[in-house]
Amino acid sequence: DTAVSQTPKYLVTQMGNDKSIKCEQNLGHDTMYWYKQDSKKFLKIMFSYNNKELIINETVPNRFSPKSPDKAHLNLHINSLELGDSAVYFCASSVWGPNTGELFFGEGSRLTVL
Amino acid sequence: AQSVTQLGSHVSVSEGALVLLRCNYSSSVPPYLFWYVQYPNQGLQLLLKYTSAATLVKGINDFEAEFKKSETSFHLTKPSAHMSDAAEYFCAVSRPGIAGGTSYGKLTFGQGTILTVHP
């Protein structure tokens, strides 16, 4: 029973297309995140949501729009895909609080833009 | 601003040998520090964390790390490597307790170290 699950695991698409990645967690956490891992393996936070409210938005282009319909789900929609968007996108969840550091990650969604 | 540097993108050891993965950080405030492990085709999972209590931290699978403020280091060690330890390891830092929650869960990661274990 996967704790943090993302779909799809692999996405191959053309430049200019729009795509979505979905994430669900069954850990009862109230905070969810999107992290991006680039080709050099650097992981960087993009967004965080707490109880459906956007908390962190790390200067990500407007083409990226996260949506959290409830605290167990966080989706990522990307418009007008560019070559530089190719990366692995990780969803994660945690409990909310100042001592938060233990994140539970999904397996990642590998996006390739051609 | 904070940053993490992992010395050595690849480390290779023999089974039974000592594992040492190096991590240095910079942070303008006392940090929280973490080691995560990523097995092939899996998400990252927490190995251990330092949150300002004991400076020697023990984690899962006999890994441990020591926070050394004077050296701004948080190196990961394991006395005896096992084949199943082969994975990629990430060091991360966070700035705890900043008002408004904009630091909660915001980890700055190093670039990762791939550990290979030879029989």
Side-chain angles (χ1 to χ4, degrees):
Chain A
D1 195 21
T2 307
V4 182
S5 59
Q6 301 178 224
T7 53
K9 287 191 170 36
Y10 298 95
L11 263 173
V12 181
T13 189
Q14 301 286 331
M15 269 176 36
N17 284 350
D18 303 339
K19 289 293 177 186
S20 292
I21 307 171
K22 295 187 176 185
C23 180
E24 176 181 3
Q25 56 95 2
N26 63 6
L27 297 167
H29 292 158
D30 54 5
T31 308
M32 296 184 72
Y33 312 82
W34 281 112
Y35 273 79
K36 178 181 179 181
Q37 187 177 45
D38 64 20
S39 58
K40 295 183 179 174
K41 293 293 192 84
F42 273 108
L43 267 158
K44 189 174 178 187
I45 192 167
M46 300 172 69
F47 303 102
S48 76
Y49 271 78
N50 172 248
N51 281 323
K52 304 191 293 177
E53 181 185 352
L54 178 66
I55 302 298
I56 294 174
N57 182 344
E58 282 289 295
T59 59
V60 177
N62 290 340
R63 299 182 295 102
F64 290 79
S65 50
K67 278 196 173 58
S68 182
D70 56 59
K71 65 180 185 179
H73 295 84
L74 180 61
N75 304 322
L76 182 65
H77 187 75
I78 316 171
N79 289 325
S80 304
L81 279 157
E82 301 178 357
L83 293 176
D85 298 332
S86 295
V88 181
Y89 293 85
F90 285 98
C91 178
S93 71
S94 74
V95 296
W96 174 256
N99 297 321
T100 298
E102 182 168 6
L103 273 56
F104 291 78
F105 284 84
E107 295 180 358
S109 297
R110 182 176 293 275
L111 171 65
T112 303
V113 182
L114 303 174
Chain B
Q2 51 195 354
S3 65
V4 175
T5 302
Q6 291 182 238
L7 296 173
S9 57
H10 289 82
V11 170
S12 181
V13 301
S14 299
E15 194 172 18
L18 171 73
V19 175
L20 171 60
L21 304 182
R22 299 178 189 272
C23 172
N24 288 89
Y25 69 91
S26 71
S27 178
S28 55
V29 298
Y32 286 177
L33 292 157
F34 309 85
W35 276 99
Y36 278 82
V37 60
Q38 185 179 23
Y39 298 102
N41 299 317
Q42 293 187 27
L44 284 76
Q45 71 180 79
L46 184 69
L47 262 184
L48 49 79
K49 62 182 177 182
Y50 165 77
T51 56
S52 74
T55 56
L56 182 62
V57 180
K58 294 188 186 298
I60 60 174
N61 300 334
D62 295 328
F63 282 96
E64 62 181 37
E66 186 171 9
F67 171 67
K68 290 187 176 180
K69 185 179 177 181
S70 60
E71 298 177 8
T72 61
S73 69
F74 191 58
H75 301 330
L76 182 70
T77 60
K78 179 172 179 175
S80 177
H82 192 272
M83 298 293 287
S84 61
D85 295 327
E88 187 156 17
Y89 293 79
F90 291 90
C91 183
V93 63
S94 74
R95 295 166 62 192
I98 292 181
T102 55
S103 68
Y104 298 174
K106 183 177 176 180
L107 301 180
T108 299
F109 284 88
Q111 73 274 35
T113 299
I114 295 172
L115 175 66
T116 304
V117 182
H118 297 289

